[in-house]
Amino acid sequence: MWFTSDNAGPAAPELMQAVMEANDGHAMPYGADPITARAQDRVREVFEAPNAVVHFVATGTAANALALGSVTAPWTTVFCHRNAHIEEDECGAPEFYTGGAKLTLIDGEHARMTEAGLARALRFTARAGVHNVQRGALSLTQATELGAVYQPEDVAALAALARGQSLPVHMDGTRFANACARLGKSPAEMSWKAGVDVLCLGASKNGAMAAEAVIFFDGDRFGDLAAKGWEFELRRKRGGHLFSKLRFMSAQMDRWLEGGLWLDLAGRANAMADRLAAGLKAGGRARFDHPVEANALFPALPRAMHRRLHEAGARYYMWPFDQSLEGPDDEMLTCRLVCNWATSEADVDAFIAAANG
Amino acid sequence: MWFTSDNAGPAAPELMQAVMEANDGHAMPYGADPITARAQDRVREVFEAPNAVVHFVATGTAANALALGSVTAPWTTVFCHRNAHIEEDECGAPEFYTGGAKLTLIDGEHARMTEAGLARALRFTARAGVHNVQRGALSLTQATELGAVYQPEDVAALAALARGQSLPVHMDGTRFANACARLGKSPAEMSWKAGVDVLCLGASKNGAMAAEAVIFFDGDRFGDLAAKGWEFELRRKRGGHLFSKLRFMSAQMDRWLEGGLWLDLAGRANAMADRLAAGLKAGGRARFDHPVEANALFPALPRAMHRRLHEAGARYYMWPFDQSLEGPDDEMLTCRLVCNWATSEADVDAFIAAANG
Amino acid sequence: MWFTSDNAGPAAPELMQAVMEANDGHAMPYGADPITARAQDRVREVFEAPNAVVHFVATGTAANALALGSVTAPWTTVFCHRNAHIEEDECGAPEFYTGGAKLTLIDGEHARMTEAGLARALRFTARAGVHNVQRGALSLTQATELGAVYQPEDVAALAALARGQSLPVHMDGTRFANACARLGKSPAEMSWKAGVDVLCLGASKNGAMAAEAVIFFDGDRFGDLAAKGWEFELRRKRGGHLFSKLRFMSAQMDRWLEGGLWLDLAGRANAMADRLAAGLKAGGRARFDHPVEANALFPALPRAMHRRLHEAGARYYMWPFDQSLEGPDDEMLTCRLVCNWATSEADVDAFIAAANG
Amino acid sequence: MWFTSDNAGPAAPELMQAVMEANDGHAMPYGADPITARAQDRVREVFEAPNAVVHFVATGTAANALALGSVTAPWTTVFCHRNAHIEEDECGAPEFYTGGAKLTLIDGEHARMTEAGLARALRFTARAGVHNVQRGALSLTQATELGAVYQPEDVAALAALARGQSLPVHMDGTRFANACARLGKSPAEMSWKAGVDVLCLGASKNGAMAAEAVIFFDGDRFGDLAAKGWEFELRRKRGGHLFSKLRFMSAQMDRWLEGGLWLDLAGRANAMADRLAAGLKAGGRARFDHPVEANALFPALPRAMHRRLHEAGARYYMWPFDQSLEGPDDEMLTCRLVCNWATSEADVDAFIAAANG
């Protein structure tokens, strides 16, 4: 009964198989191998973006921080949600890779930024004199840190506000696959067609050992897309994120995207989240303050139920972490339950059974 | 006939097997899994260093840059050989991770720093007033970038000079395994017993897909070794180098060090380098300006021989890269030939045959 | 009628005279001159802090950013008020000099941080795992950016919270003189006795051409105060803030502190702010949402009054800047009026007359 | 008898007078005052560069580091002489302001870079793959750190090499005035007409209290010169180098350049250097390994002469610093003697008399 995070799950056997097959004799290092080229083509194909520049890195933090560093100056600020991973969970990696940019935090339910919130923040920073950090970029998280998704039209509206101020739009797509699978929209609709300039597409939480793609989309944003791509390569190397045996990472990304496997895996995780939510709702004692739109749920449960679950061996985090199991039985305490592609129906049902007592 | 670099080689089947086995259900992420703990213990055991703090990262550049950042301040300089990887091949990663430290370049044959050279550089920087960068650290590369190794007593003598100025000693051990296998000395003798404070131990060029260990040794250097280790963890995370599914990297390092496999693999690469050198020497037309002490050789060969080799499909780099195959036949042109654990006798012999015509 | 900012004012003639006198032949550069030594001693004497380490820089931004860089690590966050100068008006200098630390913004009326607000922020960041930036420092602004002051006991209570988490306490004292003059408390009571570890004491807005002192107080904070002082010197040089002819800056600071001149100058500015506030209140149409506790006032005035003032040649800023003079006459619009040591009663009275029509 | 450095000298009375006159009531801060505008115009006029973008900072280190940061990326290297101030005497400020760029050190007599040396360094860095830092900028020091000057045609030849690789050309003009006065060439000929893109023009060592101009020349280098200027302003603010009461610095620069005062002051220093050199040569015991082309001389003198000079109260530095007065009388020890605008004939003659015994 592992619901701590999707990164506690195993890698998908298809990807492991691809990694094994990639271990076939010698190959040019640092991405000059045929598997990497194939994986880059695969990304471009899946996103209907034949001119996109595609690079691979091993962690979501590296992807986000390198991407933000590529599109902002050190004296700017990145507009993001208060609960964004880049703000809360990357130990300042964006600050490190941007050379000390700020993050301007925007509120919004379910960790979803609102147009009004973004507009207010943009207005507040409109002065932009020499004493102020300048406006740098918009960063959206899809799916959000509280399990919600943005509809493509939500993204488009926010991106339009950013573009009105000539700001590039970054998307932290650590769980982009889950959002995509949920909405049934095409990857292109979910990204560049909605105004995203650079997408960090994560596979590590959805079947890979470690593989993330940073995708710079063609468009009017990057005057010289090839120059931007080369700059990214230098930044990646300088950050220590250029793998010599890149083929093993590329093989994961390539297989993940092949034949829709990535959406199948994400769909399984989403389905388990739905099943879990339904079971808890059926029990009648859970309260859902956040929608279940991807693969995570954030229900408030009575403390007694948490105790039962812990005794039954369920693994998950209280949200926030520091809520105690000691205290009144009936007090409702919010927790986070994350499903991944390998979460089993049996585990979900066991959790529900323990919860509902 | 791949002799471009040891990173062109495949991963060892033992390590691939270990990775497969690590993919067993759920596990705590970010290194809180049992495989990572086992691999850390294995490092400590192999190095006879029960108190050492051990962390894993995926690339040698990350290992070096994070380690140097951990032991120097931004306003210092790192003493290294002019041909060190940290100077020539990391696109400024040490500068990035140290916050802008300098590298002071020291000469020495075969990319091996001499005591006299280091002493001179230390003397020159002795002023160390407020206008000058301060002395930061000593960095040695074992084996060197030109295929030589340091004897433990060489390391000890250089480390003593550094310690005389209270400087920490870093070792870039990307090919530490090759040096260790060659000299038949214990890992402890080759590192902390000779005065090394922090070792970057590389497996990526010797059988792993991607795995490096950063080892902080106990001693009088780091007052509070646990605090130093925690700082490193924060730096690693901030650099985007903390893997969520760390178990897969740890599994490689664990298996690599188990039962001396790492030295076997390195020994194979070294033996192939010896065989290659012997064959070229027997041909009578190669000149060896650098000793063959690890797994790489840097022979000067007549241009006509290079042409023959290229026609025969041999893959390797001219050293420096930009020497042309066009020109007088007899001119001697230096090249770099690197063997790895998977280099076959057949490949070596084919190379020799093509070379010697 | 200049009320834009205190930095629009001239330098005090006493300080200009001291600068002239400092121009007496040759002197050792970079602070090794007798005037600098005297000025440092003067600071220590005025603050009853015989062991304090004292350095001079030319701008408040440099003082704050260098001081914060000296007491925090790049992976930490600085707790400050949402309206702090370090957040709003330094173009990211703290981020630059800390190597990319965050600022955690805390609310509170009149730009004054509350104990509850700080306690909440400290609690929220208590997790402090490897994914999170760590807690770095507390920064208070005295007087605040909205013209309020902290009582020494307010500072002590906030500092106690910080010290409870082992956080150093920084004070942005750009207008420390105004606060000190207002409260009639000793500089020591207002700083180290209340728990301040490092004070940036500004003279540039109160009679100097350009002079700020960064004062590291003795105490249990800085294990080795001399080492901290030397580190600051290296940071200052590296930031380009070490003046060769430092004697001219030191002469200003020395004369400013001599015989209480600094408090006289600040007292004059405060008195003019009081006179201005009284006159506006007497007119019956101004609304004061913020107290007048230093040398600045932030009254809301009817738009028609603003128009009259602008026609009469009064210079000051709307607060926020972008409020228009076009619109309904009676709408109340907040502005900022700052007095300095040279503000004349005549100017104040002319302003009042124009305002009250 | 002060010959330690030109920054030990006083400020020129004309500049002090200008500073006093600038202290005339209120003025807009941060450079929006009329004196700053006038000084910027003055720079443009003196350099025959009507479109140049001109900014003022207080120290040469700030000027150099901010200028280099403005024209290079963090992953590049700056080509400079091994003895350049940016390498030896700025405690890593260029690394700090560039975000960690390297300096590639080039040899050449008298701290003067040669075409051959630069060409070799450019060739060596031609590979410029992703593993290597990229070529960033050329930096020349005029006059050099060993008292030599570049002829405009020398600068032009070096700049042509840089421009051949699309590299911007920076000039550290801390003693540009001395070079200019010596050669009798126009400021334009000495700078942009010879290919300099950005000049750091120093007054602090030649009559000012603290004033340096950073001049971005018009040309094909900076596509959008206004954008480059704005970026510099943000960098200056972020570095804490934007003075609120900038008028006092601008007044110095304005007066310095008015009516050729700057060249008069530099000419006086140069003349005293000549007189000193002539006197030492006449004594027959000094050896001159470096030419006397600006305001500094680097003679080798017998140790006994050094002893005599120290006993007579002469102040100057041994070069390098750490040569001892203890030892054989006849051993020749090099020293540095720097004259400034205020060095008197009496001081020079007293020095000569003491030296020649």
Side-chain angles (χ1 to χ4, degrees), chain A residues 2 7-11 16 20 23 26-27 29-30 58-59 89 91-93 97 204 208 237-241 243 245 247 340, chain B residues 2 7-11 16 20 23 26-30 58-59 89 91-93 97 204 208 237-241 243 245 247 340:
Chain A
W2 282 81
N7 58 31
M16 296 304 276
M20 292 300 117
N23 194 32
H26 288 73
Y30 301 116
T59 73
D89 292 296
C91 198
Y97 279 92
S204 302
K237 171 70 194 184
R238 184 172 174 81
H241 287 288
F243 278 43
K245 297 177 176 173
R247 54 175 155 163
N340 70 81
Chain B
W2 283 81
N7 58 31
M16 296 303 277
M20 291 300 116
N23 193 32
H26 289 71
M28 287 300 285
Y30 302 117
T59 72
D89 291 296
C91 197
Y97 278 92
S204 302
K237 172 69 193 184
R238 185 171 172 81
H241 287 289
F243 278 43
K245 297 178 175 171
R247 53 175 155 162
N340 70 80

Side-chain angles (χ1 to χ4, degrees), chain C residues 10 27 35 56 68 123 131 142 161 168 182 232 244 270 333 340:
Chain C
I35 298 175
F56 303 129
L68 288 170
R123 215 160 42 234
H131 306 291
Q142 177 75 304
L161 283 174
R182 177 69 70 173
F232 186 90
S244 55
N270 292 351
L333 305 177
N340 71 80

Side-chain angles (χ1 to χ4, degrees), chain C residues 301-343:
Chain C
L301 310 176
R303 182 179 276 109
M305 189 185 289
H306 284 298
R307 281 206 208 95
R308 258 196 327 273
L309 284 162
H310 278 78
E311 277 155 27
R315 308 187 70 151
Y316 61 92
Y317 291 114
M318 304 304 279
W319 210 253
F321 288 5
D322 58 353
Q323 297 173 93
S324 172
L325 290 187
E326 316 264 316
D329 276 14
D330 291 340
E331 196 180 352
M332 298 296 278
L333 305 177
T334 300
C335 65
R336 184 181 81 160
L337 306 172
V338 193
C339 299
N340 71 80
W341 71 272
T343 303

Side-chain angles (χ1 to χ4, degrees), chain D residues 18-24 27-28 31-42 56 246-255:
Chain D
V19 168
M20 291 300 117
E21 289 167 8
N23 193 31
D24 179 26
M28 286 300 284
D33 64 280
I35 298 174
T36 299
R38 194 172 71 213
Q40 290 169 322
D41 282 343
R42 184 91 66 189
F56 303 130
L246 192 58
R247 53 174 155 161
F248 295 110
M249 195 197 295
S250 303
Q252 297 174 62
M253 186 55 75
D254 184 55
R255 181 63 193 88

